[in-house]
């Protein structure tokens, strides 16, 4: 995944925000995001309730986030099918 990130940062660097630049990005899954809201209580509840599970990853998608006053939307920029 880090190799893929280096390729993306090299190609799309001008479009990446501070958290997705090559030196800052960490593999993750975004479960919830609400602009301007302190999500620490949500994170604590998720940690209390989380149960480990097994999963298979078939595809990685790269999205661009668009924030309006009323809503947040995403555009898939690229995806990589995994073998």
């Amino acid at each position: 995944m880090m190799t893929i990130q280096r390729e993306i940062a090299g190609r799309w660097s001008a479009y990446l925000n501070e958290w997705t630049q090559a030196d800052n990005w960490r593999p993750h899954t975004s479960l919830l995001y609400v602009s301007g809201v302190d999500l620490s209580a949500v994170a604590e509840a998720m940690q209390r309730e989380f149960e480990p599970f097994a999963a298979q990853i078939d595809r990685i998608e790269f999205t661009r986030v668009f924030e309006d006053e009323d809503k947040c939307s995403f555009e898939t920029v690229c995806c990589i099918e995994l073998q």
Side-chain angles (χ1 to χ4, degrees):
M1 289 185 74
M2 298 310 283
T3 300
I4 293 169
Q5 169 58 14
R6 280 192 294 277
E7 290 177 22
I8 291 165
R11 182 174 174 192
W12 299 92
S13 152
Y15 300 100
L16 301 178
N17 65 21
E18 64 180 298
W19 303 112
T20 54
Q21 290 291 331
D23 295 336
N24 294 331
W25 181 81
R26 298 292 175 262
H28 70 283
T29 298
S30 297
L31 300 176
L32 176 69
Y33 173 75
V34 179
S35 181
V37 173
D38 178 10
L39 298 175
S40 57
V42 174
E44 290 172 14
M46 291 171 72
Q47 288 175 341
R48 278 194 312 273
E49 300 296 324
F50 179 78
E51 293 185 27
F53 61 91
Q56 177 177 325
I57 299 171
D58 298 317
R59 176 167 135 155
I60 299 173
E61 290 187 349
F62 302 93
T63 57
R64 184 175 293 141
V65 179
F66 298 96
E67 292 186 57
D68 290 337
E69 290 180 18
D70 300 329
K71 66 177 182 174
C72 184
S73 61
F74 303 88
E75 172 192 6
T76 300
V77 176
C78 181
C79 63
I80 297 172
E81 300 291 335
L82 303 175
Q83 303 296 354

Coordinates of all heavy atoms in Angstrom, one line a residue:
M1 N 0.8 -1.2 0.0 CA 0.0 0.0 0.0 C 0.9 1.3 0.0 O 0.5 2.3 -0.6 CB -0.9 0.0 1.2 CG -2.1 -1.0 1.1 SD -3.2 -1.0 2.4 CE -4.1 0.5 2.0
M2 N 2.0 1.2 0.7 CA 2.8 2.4 0.7 C 3.4 2.7 -0.7 O 3.6 3.8 -1.0 CB 3.9 2.2 1.8 CG 3.4 2.0 3.2 SD 2.2 3.3 3.7 CE 3.3 4.6 4.0
T3 N 3.7 1.6 -1.4 CA 4.2 1.8 -2.8 C 3.1 2.5 -3.7 O 3.4 3.4 -4.4 CB 4.6 0.5 -3.4 OG1 5.6 -0.1 -2.6 CG2 5.1 0.6 -4.9
I4 N 1.9 2.1 -3.5 CA 0.8 2.7 -4.2 C 0.7 4.2 -3.8 O 0.5 5.1 -4.7 CB -0.5 2.0 -4.0 CG1 -0.5 0.6 -4.6 CG2 -1.7 2.7 -4.5 CD1 -1.6 -0.4 -4.2
Q5 N 0.8 4.4 -2.5 CA 0.7 5.8 -2.0 C 1.8 6.7 -2.6 O 1.5 7.8 -3.0 CB 0.7 5.9 -0.5 CG 0.9 7.3 0.1 CD -0.2 8.3 -0.3 OE1 -1.2 7.9 -0.8 NE2 0.1 9.5 -0.1
R6 N 3.0 6.2 -2.7 CA 4.1 7.0 -3.3 C 3.8 7.3 -4.7 O 4.1 8.4 -5.2 CB 5.4 6.2 -3.1 CG 6.0 6.3 -1.8 CD 7.5 5.8 -1.7 NE 7.5 4.4 -2.0 CZ 7.4 3.4 -1.0 NH1 7.1 3.8 0.2 NH2 7.5 2.2 -1.3
E7 N 3.2 6.4 -5.5 CA 2.9 6.6 -6.9 C 1.8 7.7 -7.0 O 1.9 8.6 -7.8 CB 2.4 5.3 -7.5 CG 3.5 4.3 -7.7 CD 3.0 3.0 -8.3 OE1 1.9 3.0 -9.0 OE2 3.7 2.0 -8.2
I8 N 0.8 7.6 -6.1 CA -0.3 8.6 -6.1 C 0.3 9.9 -5.8 O -0.1 10.9 -6.4 CB -1.4 8.1 -5.1 CG1 -2.1 6.9 -5.7 CG2 -2.4 9.3 -4.9 CD1 -2.9 6.2 -4.6
A9 N 1.1 10.0 -4.7 CA 1.6 11.3 -4.3 C 2.5 11.9 -5.4 O 2.5 13.1 -5.6 CB 2.4 11.1 -3.0
G10 N 3.2 11.1 -6.1 CA 4.0 11.6 -7.2 C 3.2 12.1 -8.3 O 3.6 13.1 -9.0
R11 N 2.1 11.5 -8.6 CA 1.2 11.9 -9.7 C 0.2 13.0 -9.4 O -0.1 13.8 -10.2 CB 0.5 10.7 -10.3 CG -0.3 10.9 -11.4 CD -0.9 9.6 -12.0 NE -1.8 9.8 -13.0 CZ -2.6 8.9 -13.5 NH1 -2.5 7.7 -13.1 NH2 -3.4 9.2 -14.5
W12 N -0.4 12.9 -8.2 CA -1.5 13.7 -7.8 C -1.2 14.7 -6.6 O -2.1 15.3 -6.0 CB -2.7 12.9 -7.4 CG -3.2 12.0 -8.4 CD1 -2.8 10.7 -8.6 CD2 -4.2 12.2 -9.4 NE1 -3.5 10.2 -9.7 CE2 -4.3 11.1 -10.2 CE3 -4.9 13.4 -9.7 CZ2 -5.2 11.0 -11.3 CZ3 -5.8 13.3 -10.8 CH2 -5.9 12.1 -11.5
S13 N 0.0 14.9 -6.3 CA 0.5 15.7 -5.2 C -0.3 17.1 -5.1 O -0.7 17.5 -4.0 CB 2.0 15.9 -5.2 OG 2.4 17.0 -4.6
A14 N -0.5 17.7 -6.1 CA -1.2 19.1 -6.1 C -2.6 19.0 -5.6 O -3.2 20.0 -5.1 CB -1.1 19.7 -7.5
Y15 N -3.2 17.8 -5.7 CA -4.6 17.6 -5.3 C -4.8 17.0 -3.9 O -5.9 16.9 -3.4 CB -5.3 16.7 -6.3 CG -5.3 17.3 -7.7 CD1 -4.4 16.8 -8.6 CD2 -6.1 18.3 -8.1 CE1 -4.3 17.4 -9.9 CE2 -6.1 18.9 -9.4 CZ -5.2 18.4 -10.3 OH -5.1 18.9 -11.5
L16 N -3.7 16.6 -3.3 CA -3.8 15.9 -2.0 C -3.9 16.9 -0.9 O -3.1 17.9 -0.9 CB -2.6 14.9 -1.8 CG -2.5 13.8 -2.8 CD1 -1.3 13.0 -2.5 CD2 -3.7 13.0 -2.9
N17 N -4.7 16.6 0.1 CA -4.7 17.5 1.3 C -3.6 17.2 2.2 O -2.8 16.3 2.0 CB -6.1 17.5 2.0 CG -6.4 16.1 2.6 OD1 -5.5 15.3 2.9 ND2 -7.7 15.9 2.8
E18 N -3.5 17.9 3.4 CA -2.4 17.7 4.3 C -2.3 16.2 4.8 O -1.2 15.8 5.1 CB -2.4 18.7 5.4 CG -3.6 18.5 6.3 CD -3.7 19.5 7.4 OE1 -2.8 19.4 8.3 OE2 -4.6 20.3 7.5
W19 N -3.4 15.6 4.9 CA -3.4 14.2 5.5 C -3.1 13.1 4.5 O -2.9 12.0 4.9 CB -4.8 13.9 6.2 CG -5.1 15.0 7.2 CD1 -6.1 15.9 7.2 CD2 -4.4 15.2 8.4 NE1 -6.0 16.7 8.3 CE2 -5.0 16.3 9.1 CE3 -3.3 14.6 9.1 CZ2 -4.6 16.8 10.3 CZ3 -2.9 15.1 10.3 CH2 -3.5 16.2 10.9
T20 N -3.2 13.4 3.2 CA -3.0 12.4 2.2 C -1.7 12.6 1.5 O -1.4 11.8 0.5 CB -4.2 12.4 1.2 OG1 -4.4 13.7 0.7 CG2 -5.4 11.9 1.9
Q21 N -0.9 13.6 1.8 CA 0.5 13.7 1.2 C 1.3 12.5 1.6 O 1.1 11.9 2.6 CB 1.1 15.0 1.7 CG 0.5 16.3 1.2 CD 0.7 16.5 -0.3 OE1 1.7 16.1 -0.8 NE2 -0.2 17.2 -0.9
A22 N 2.4 12.3 0.8 CA 3.2 11.1 1.0 C 3.7 10.9 2.4 O 3.7 9.8 2.9 CB 4.3 11.2 0.0
D23 N 4.1 11.9 3.1 CA 4.7 11.8 4.4 C 3.7 11.7 5.6 O 4.1 11.3 6.7 CB 5.7 12.9 4.7 CG 6.9 12.9 3.7 OD1 7.2 11.9 3.2 OD2 7.5 14.0 3.5
N24 N 2.5 12.0 5.3 CA 1.5 12.0 6.4 C 0.5 10.9 6.3 O -0.1 10.5 7.3 CB 0.7 13.3 6.4 CG 1.6 14.5 6.7 OD1 2.5 14.4 7.4 ND2 1.3 15.7 6.2
W25 N 0.2 10.3 5.1 CA -0.8 9.4 4.9 C -0.5 8.1 5.6 O 0.6 7.6 5.7 CB -1.0 9.1 3.4 CG -2.1 8.1 3.1 CD1 -3.4 8.4 3.0 CD2 -1.9 6.7 2.8 NE1 -4.1 7.2 2.7 CE2 -3.2 6.2 2.6 CE3 -0.8 5.9 2.8 CZ2 -3.4 4.9 2.3 CZ3 -1.0 4.5 2.5 CH2 -2.3 4.0 2.3
R26 N -1.6 7.5 6.2 CA -1.5 6.2 6.9 C -2.7 5.4 6.4 O -3.8 5.9 6.3 CB -1.6 6.3 8.4 CG -0.4 7.1 9.0 CD 0.9 6.3 8.8 NE 2.0 7.1 9.3 CZ 2.8 7.8 8.6 NH1 2.6 7.9 7.3 NH2 3.8 8.5 9.1
P27 N -2.5 4.1 6.1 CA -3.6 3.3 5.6 C -4.8 3.4 6.7 O -4.5 3.3 7.9 CB -3.1 1.9 5.6 CG -1.6 2.1 5.4 CD -1.3 3.3 6.1
H28 N -6.0 3.5 6.2 CA -7.1 3.7 7.1 C -8.4 3.5 6.4 O -8.5 3.4 5.1 CB -7.1 5.1 7.7 CG -7.5 6.1 6.7 ND1 -6.6 6.6 5.8 CD2 -8.6 6.8 6.5 CE1 -7.2 7.5 5.1 NE2 -8.4 7.6 5.4
T29 N -9.5 3.4 7.1 CA -10.8 3.4 6.6 C -11.6 4.5 7.3 O -11.6 4.6 8.5 CB -11.5 2.0 6.9 OG1 -10.8 1.0 6.2 CG2 -13.0 2.1 6.4
S30 N -12.2 5.4 6.6 CA -12.9 6.5 7.2 C -14.3 5.9 7.5 O -15.1 5.6 6.6 CB -13.0 7.7 6.2 OG -11.7 8.2 6.0
L31 N -14.7 5.9 8.7 CA -16.0 5.4 9.1 C -17.0 6.5 9.3 O -18.2 6.3 9.1 CB -15.9 4.6 10.4 CG -15.0 3.4 10.4 CD1 -14.8 2.7 11.7 CD2 -15.5 2.3 9.4
L32 N -16.5 7.6 9.7 CA -17.5 8.8 9.9 C -16.7 10.1 9.9 O -15.6 10.1 10.4 CB -18.2 8.6 11.3 CG -19.1 9.8 11.7 CD1 -20.3 9.8 10.8 CD2 -19.5 9.6 13.1
Y33 N -17.2 11.1 9.2 CA -16.6 12.4 9.3 C -17.8 13.4 9.2 O -18.6 13.3 8.4 CB -15.7 12.6 8.1 CG -15.2 14.0 8.0 CD1 -14.2 14.5 8.9 CD2 -15.7 14.9 7.1 CE1 -13.8 15.8 8.8 CE2 -15.3 16.2 7.0 CZ -14.3 16.6 7.9 OH -13.9 17.9 7.9
V34 N -17.7 14.3 10.1 CA -18.7 15.4 10.2 C -17.9 16.7 10.4 O -17.2 16.8 11.5 CB -19.8 15.3 11.3 CG1 -20.7 16.4 11.3 CG2 -20.5 13.9 11.1
S35 N -17.8 17.6 9.5 CA -17.0 18.8 9.5 C -17.4 19.6 10.8 O -18.6 19.9 11.0 CB -17.2 19.6 8.3 OG -16.4 20.8 8.4
G36 N -16.4 20.0 11.6 CA -16.6 20.9 12.7 C -17.1 20.2 13.9 O -17.4 20.9 14.9
V37 N -17.3 18.9 13.9 CA -17.8 18.2 15.1 C -16.7 17.4 15.8 O -15.8 16.8 15.1 CB -18.9 17.2 14.6 CG1 -19.4 16.3 15.8 CG2 -20.1 18.0 14.1
D38 N -16.7 17.4 17.1 CA -15.7 16.7 17.9 C -16.1 15.2 17.9 O -17.2 14.9 18.5 CB -15.6 17.2 19.3 CG -14.6 16.4 20.2 OD1 -13.9 15.6 19.6 OD2 -14.6 16.6 21.4
L39 N -15.4 14.4 17.3 CA -15.8 13.0 17.1 C -15.2 12.1 18.2 O -15.3 10.8 18.1 CB -15.4 12.5 15.7 CG -16.1 13.2 14.6 CD1 -15.6 12.7 13.2 CD2 -17.6 13.0 14.6
S40 N -14.6 12.6 19.2 CA -14.0 11.8 20.2 C -15.0 10.9 21.0 O -14.6 9.7 21.2 CB -13.2 12.7 21.2 OG -14.0 13.6 21.8
A41 N -16.2 11.3 21.2 CA -17.2 10.5 21.9 C -17.6 9.3 21.0 O -17.7 8.2 21.4 CB -18.4 11.3 22.3
V42 N -17.7 9.6 19.7 CA -18.0 8.5 18.7 C -16.9 7.5 18.7 O -17.1 6.3 18.7 CB -18.2 9.1 17.3 CG1 -18.4 8.0 16.3 CG2 -19.4 10.1 17.3
A43 N -15.6 8.0 18.6 CA -14.5 7.1 18.6 C -14.4 6.2 19.8 O -14.1 5.0 19.8 CB -13.2 7.9 18.4
E44 N -14.7 6.8 21.0 CA -14.7 6.1 22.3 C -15.7 5.0 22.2 O -15.5 3.8 22.6 CB -14.9 7.0 23.5 CG -13.7 7.9 23.7 CD -13.9 8.9 24.8 OE1 -15.0 8.8 25.5 OE2 -13.1 9.9 24.9
A45 N -16.9 5.3 21.8 CA -18.0 4.3 21.7 C -17.6 3.2 20.7 O -17.9 2.0 21.0 CB -19.3 5.0 21.3
M46 N -17.0 3.5 19.6 CA -16.6 2.5 18.6 C -15.5 1.6 19.2 O -15.6 0.4 19.0 CB -16.1 3.2 17.3 CG -17.2 3.9 16.6 SD -16.6 4.9 15.2 CE -16.1 3.7 14.1
Q47 N -14.6 2.2 20.0 CA -13.6 1.4 20.6 C -14.2 0.4 21.6 O -13.7 -0.8 21.7 CB -12.5 2.2 21.2 CG -11.6 2.9 20.2 CD -10.7 3.9 20.9 OE1 -10.9 4.3 22.0 NE2 -9.6 4.3 20.1
R48 N -15.1 0.8 22.3 CA -15.8 0.0 23.3 C -16.5 -1.2 22.7 O -16.6 -2.3 23.2 CB -16.8 0.8 24.2 CG -16.2 1.5 25.3 CD -17.3 2.0 26.3 NE -18.4 2.6 25.7 CZ -18.5 3.9 25.4 NH1 -17.5 4.7 25.6 NH2 -19.6 4.4 24.8
E49 N -17.2 -0.9 21.6 CA -18.1 -1.9 20.9 C -17.4 -2.7 19.8 O -18.0 -3.7 19.4 CB -19.3 -1.2 20.3 CG -20.1 -0.4 21.3 CD -20.8 -1.3 22.3 OE1 -21.2 -2.5 21.9 OE2 -20.9 -0.9 23.5
F50 N -16.2 -2.4 19.4 CA -15.5 -3.0 18.3 C -15.3 -4.5 18.6 O -14.8 -4.9 19.7 CB -14.2 -2.3 18.0 CG -13.5 -3.0 16.8 CD1 -13.9 -2.8 15.5 CD2 -12.4 -3.9 17.1 CE1 -13.2 -3.4 14.5 CE2 -11.8 -4.5 16.0 CZ -12.2 -4.3 14.7
E51 N -15.5 -5.3 17.6 CA -15.2 -6.8 17.7 C -14.3 -7.1 16.5 O -14.8 -6.8 15.3 CB -16.4 -7.6 17.7 CG -17.3 -7.5 19.0 CD -18.4 -8.4 19.0 OE1 -18.4 -9.5 18.4 OE2 -19.4 -8.1 19.7
P52 N -13.2 -7.6 16.6 CA -12.3 -8.0 15.5 C -13.0 -8.9 14.5 O -13.9 -9.7 14.9 CB -11.1 -8.7 16.1 CG -11.1 -8.2 17.5 CD -12.5 -8.0 17.9
F53 N -12.7 -8.8 13.2 CA -13.3 -9.6 12.2 C -12.3 -9.8 11.1 O -11.3 -9.0 11.0 CB -14.6 -9.0 11.7 CG -14.3 -7.6 11.1 CD1 -14.1 -7.5 9.7 CD2 -14.4 -6.5 11.8 CE1 -13.9 -6.2 9.1 CE2 -14.2 -5.2 11.3 CZ -14.0 -5.1 9.9
A54 N -12.5 -10.8 10.2 CA -11.6 -11.0 9.1 C -12.4 -10.4 7.9 O -13.6 -10.5 7.8 CB -11.4 -12.5 8.9
A55 N -11.6 -9.9 6.9 CA -12.2 -9.4 5.7 C -11.2 -9.5 4.6 O -10.0 -9.7 4.8 CB -12.5 -7.9 5.9
Q56 N -11.7 -9.4 3.4 CA -10.9 -9.5 2.2 C -11.0 -8.1 1.5 O -12.1 -7.6 1.3 CB -11.3 -10.6 1.2 CG -10.5 -10.6 0.0 CD -10.9 -11.8 -0.9 OE1 -11.3 -12.9 -0.4 NE2 -10.9 -11.6 -2.2
I57 N -9.9 -7.6 1.0 CA -9.9 -6.3 0.3 C -9.8 -6.6 -1.2 O -8.8 -7.2 -1.6 CB -8.8 -5.3 0.8 CG1 -9.1 -5.0 2.3 CG2 -8.8 -4.1 -0.1 CD1 -7.9 -4.3 2.9
D58 N -10.7 -6.2 -2.0 CA -10.7 -6.5 -3.4 C -10.4 -5.3 -4.3 O -10.0 -5.4 -5.4 CB -12.0 -7.0 -3.9 CG -12.4 -8.4 -3.2 OD1 -11.5 -9.2 -3.1 OD2 -13.6 -8.5 -2.8
R59 N -10.5 -4.1 -3.7 CA -10.4 -2.9 -4.5 C -10.0 -1.7 -3.5 O -10.6 -1.7 -2.4 CB -11.7 -2.6 -5.2 CG -11.7 -1.4 -6.0 CD -12.9 -1.5 -6.9 NE -13.7 -0.3 -6.9 CZ -14.5 0.0 -7.9 NH1 -14.7 -0.8 -8.9 NH2 -15.2 1.1 -7.8
I60 N -9.2 -0.8 -4.0 CA -8.9 0.4 -3.3 C -9.4 1.5 -4.2 O -9.2 1.6 -5.4 CB -7.4 0.6 -3.1 CG1 -6.8 -0.6 -2.2 CG2 -7.1 1.9 -2.4 CD1 -5.3 -0.6 -2.1
E61 N -10.2 2.4 -3.5 CA -10.7 3.6 -4.3 C -10.1 4.9 -3.7 O -9.9 5.0 -2.5 CB -12.2 3.7 -4.1 CG -13.0 2.6 -4.9 CD -14.5 2.8 -4.9 OE1 -15.0 3.7 -4.1 OE2 -15.2 2.1 -5.6
F62 N -9.9 5.8 -4.5 CA -9.3 7.1 -4.2 C -10.4 8.1 -4.5 O -10.9 8.2 -5.6 CB -8.0 7.4 -4.9 CG -7.0 6.3 -4.7 CD1 -6.9 5.2 -5.5 CD2 -6.2 6.4 -3.6 CE1 -6.0 4.2 -5.3 CE2 -5.3 5.4 -3.3 CZ -5.2 4.3 -4.2
T63 N -10.8 8.9 -3.5 CA -11.9 9.8 -3.6 C -11.5 11.2 -3.3 O -10.5 11.5 -2.5 CB -13.1 9.4 -2.7 OG1 -12.6 9.4 -1.4 CG2 -13.7 8.1 -3.1
R64 N -12.2 12.2 -3.9 CA -12.0 13.6 -3.6 C -13.3 14.0 -2.8 O -14.4 13.6 -3.2 CB -11.9 14.4 -4.9 CG -11.6 15.8 -4.7 CD -11.4 16.5 -6.1 NE -10.2 16.0 -6.6 CZ -10.0 15.7 -7.9 NH1 -11.0 15.9 -8.8 NH2 -8.9 15.3 -8.4
V65 N -13.1 14.7 -1.7 CA -14.2 15.2 -0.9 C -14.6 16.6 -1.2 O -13.7 17.5 -1.4 CB -13.8 15.1 0.6 CG1 -14.9 15.6 1.5 CG2 -13.3 13.7 1.0
F66 N -15.9 16.8 -1.4 CA -16.4 18.2 -1.6 C -17.4 18.5 -0.5 O -18.3 17.8 -0.2 CB -17.2 18.2 -2.9 CG -16.4 17.9 -4.1 CD1 -16.4 16.6 -4.7 CD2 -15.6 18.9 -4.7 CE1 -15.6 16.3 -5.8 CE2 -14.9 18.6 -5.9 CZ -14.8 17.3 -6.4
E67 N -17.1 19.6 0.2 CA -17.9 20.0 1.3 C -18.7 21.3 1.0 O -18.1 22.3 0.6 CB -17.0 20.3 2.6 CG -16.4 19.0 3.1 CD -15.6 19.3 4.4 OE1 -16.3 19.8 5.4 OE2 -14.4 19.0 4.4
D68 N -20.0 21.2 1.2 CA -20.9 22.4 1.1 C -21.3 22.7 2.5 O -21.1 21.9 3.4 CB -22.1 22.1 0.2 CG -21.7 21.9 -1.2 OD1 -20.7 22.5 -1.7 OD2 -22.5 21.3 -2.0
E69 N -22.1 23.8 2.7 CA -22.6 24.1 4.0 C -23.6 23.0 4.4 O -23.7 22.7 5.6 CB -23.3 25.4 3.9 CG -22.4 26.6 3.8 CD -23.1 27.9 3.8 OE1 -24.3 28.0 4.2 OE2 -22.5 28.9 3.3
D70 N -24.3 22.4 3.5 CA -25.4 21.5 3.8 C -25.0 20.0 3.7 O -25.7 19.2 4.3 CB -26.6 21.7 2.9 CG -27.2 23.1 3.1 OD1 -27.1 23.7 4.2 OD2 -27.7 23.6 2.1
K71 N -24.0 19.7 2.9 CA -23.7 18.3 2.7 C -22.3 18.1 2.3 O -21.5 19.0 1.9 CB -24.6 17.7 1.7 CG -24.4 18.3 0.3 CD -25.3 17.6 -0.7 CE -25.0 18.1 -2.1 NZ -25.8 17.4 -3.2
C72 N -21.8 16.8 2.4 CA -20.5 16.4 2.0 C -20.7 15.4 0.9 O -21.5 14.5 1.0 CB -19.8 15.9 3.2 SG -18.1 15.4 2.9
S73 N -20.0 15.5 -0.2 CA -20.1 14.5 -1.3 C -18.7 14.0 -1.7 O -17.7 14.7 -1.4 CB -20.8 15.0 -2.5 OG -20.2 16.1 -3.0
F74 N -18.6 12.9 -2.3 CA -17.4 12.3 -2.7 C -17.4 12.0 -4.2 O -18.4 11.6 -4.8 CB -17.1 11.0 -2.0 CG -17.1 11.2 -0.5 CD1 -18.3 11.1 0.2 CD2 -16.0 11.4 0.2 CE1 -18.3 11.2 1.6 CE2 -16.0 11.6 1.6 CZ -17.1 11.5 2.3
E75 N -16.2 12.1 -4.8 CA -16.0 11.7 -6.2 C -14.9 10.7 -6.3 O -13.8 11.0 -5.8 CB -15.6 13.0 -7.1 CG -15.3 12.6 -8.5 CD -14.6 13.8 -9.2 OE1 -14.3 14.8 -8.6 OE2 -14.3 13.6 -10.4
T76 N -15.2 9.6 -6.8 CA -14.1 8.6 -7.0 C -13.2 9.0 -8.2 O -13.7 9.2 -9.3 CB -14.7 7.2 -7.3 OG1 -15.5 6.8 -6.2 CG2 -13.6 6.1 -7.5
V77 N -12.0 9.2 -7.9 CA -11.0 9.7 -8.8 C -10.3 8.5 -9.6 O -10.1 8.6 -10.8 CB -9.9 10.5 -8.1 CG1 -8.8 11.0 -9.1 CG2 -10.5 11.7 -7.4
C78 N -10.1 7.5 -8.8 CA -9.3 6.3 -9.4 C -9.6 5.1 -8.5 O -9.9 5.3 -7.3 CB -7.9 6.6 -9.5 SG -6.8 5.3 -10.2
C79 N -9.5 3.9 -9.1 CA -9.5 2.7 -8.2 C -8.6 1.7 -8.8 O -8.2 1.7 -9.9 CB -11.0 2.2 -8.2 SG -11.6 1.6 -9.8
I80 N -8.1 0.9 -7.9 CA -7.2 -0.2 -8.2 C -7.8 -1.5 -7.8 O -8.2 -1.7 -6.6 CB -5.8 0.0 -7.5 CG1 -5.2 1.3 -7.9 CG2 -4.9 -1.2 -7.7 CD1 -4.0 1.7 -7.1
E81 N -8.0 -2.4 -8.7 CA -8.5 -3.7 -8.4 C -7.3 -4.6 -7.9 O -6.3 -4.6 -8.5 CB -9.1 -4.4 -9.6 CG -10.3 -3.7 -10.3 CD -11.5 -3.7 -9.4 OE1 -11.7 -4.6 -8.6 OE2 -12.3 -2.7 -9.5
L82 N -7.5 -5.3 -6.8 CA -6.5 -6.1 -6.2 C -6.7 -7.5 -6.6 O -7.8 -8.0 -6.7 CB -6.5 -5.9 -4.7 CG -6.3 -4.5 -4.2 CD1 -6.5 -4.4 -2.7 CD2 -5.0 -3.9 -4.6
Q83 N -5.6 -8.2 -6.8 CA -5.7 -9.7 -7.2 C -5.9 -10.5 -6.0 O -5.4 -10.4 -4.9 CB -4.4 -10.1 -7.9 CG -4.1 -9.2 -9.1 CD -5.1 -9.3 -10.2 OE1 -6.0 -10.2 -10.1 NE2 -4.9 -8.5 -11.2

